[in-house]
Each structure stands twice: as C-alpha cells, then as structure tokens.
Amino acid sequence: MKLLSLFALLLMVNAVAVRAQDAPKQGVSLPAGPGKELLQKVCSGCHGLENVVRARMTKQRWTTIVDDMISLGATANDSEAEQIVNYLAANFSKAKTEESKP
C-alpha cells in the first residue's frame, strides 16, 4: 500500500514537473508570512506553485509531502523544511478552507 502511494506520488510529481517545464511561468500569489520566500525558492525549482495553492491538507500530510519532495531532490535542511510545512499548514490547510465557508 505504501509503495503504491509513493508510486502515485512520483507519477503526480513527474506530471507536474513536465507540465511546469512546458508551460510559461505564471505568477502565483502567495499569502504573506514566515516561510513564503523559502517555499518559493525551494519548491519552484522543480515545479510551479499552482497545485500548492489549490491543495488543502493537514499539517501531517504537508510534512509527508515536503519530506517526499526532499527525498526526490528538493534542497532544504530540517529547519527549512519545518518552516515550509508551517507556512503551508497555516495557509493551505483543510482547517483554513473550513473557516472560509459561510
């Protein structure tokens, strides 16, 4: 099961990377906050941020994704990865989506 999930994640990352290379760079507006610049530097080296701003995940899930991206070649140390996860969880979480519903 874990292997299947990792394989699916790798396919998704590959598809995003190919699409990001083919498409012109588009500016994505990110909310201000600690970790924003780090996210842009580390993550946009391999893919666009369009899917990041659409995603809504728990902090635990963001941690898994960031760890997976680092294992695939993203360059961030533990402290930087934690900052990125905290930024993502603060701005792109399921809880954030629930707060915005009427």
Side-chain angles (χ1 to χ4, degrees):
M1 182 73 164
K2 241 182 183 181
L3 184 59
L4 183 58
S5 296
L6 182 58
F7 181 70
L9 177 65
L10 289 173
L11 285 176
M12 181 180 76
V13 169
N14 187 40
V16 170
V18 168
R19 199 172 107 216
Q21 290 172 358
D22 292 340
K25 293 283 182 188
Q26 297 176 358
V28 172
S29 179
L30 296 172
K36 174 184 174 181
E37 291 79 18
L38 189 57
L39 172 88
Q40 290 172 311
K41 180 183 115 191
V42 172
C43 302
S44 65
C46 296
H47 56 79
L49 300 176
E50 295 81 11
N51 288 340
V52 173
V53 300
R54 283 190 294 243
R56 297 292 182 261
M57 297 185 216
T58 64
K59 185 173 183 176
Q60 181 179 1
R61 185 70 180 125
W62 279 123
T63 300
T64 300
I65 297 243
V66 170
D67 287 346
D68 288 344
M69 295 298 111
I70 291 170
S71 73
L72 293 170
T75 52
N77 62 36
D78 289 345
S79 174
E80 291 170 330
E82 185 176 356
Q83 289 176 54
I84 292 169
V85 167
N86 288 337
Y87 176 81
L88 291 168
N91 294 287
F92 303 105
S93 69
K94 289 185 178 191
K96 196 80 167 168
T97 304
E98 295 300 318
E99 290 172 8
S100 65
K101 288 185 179 177

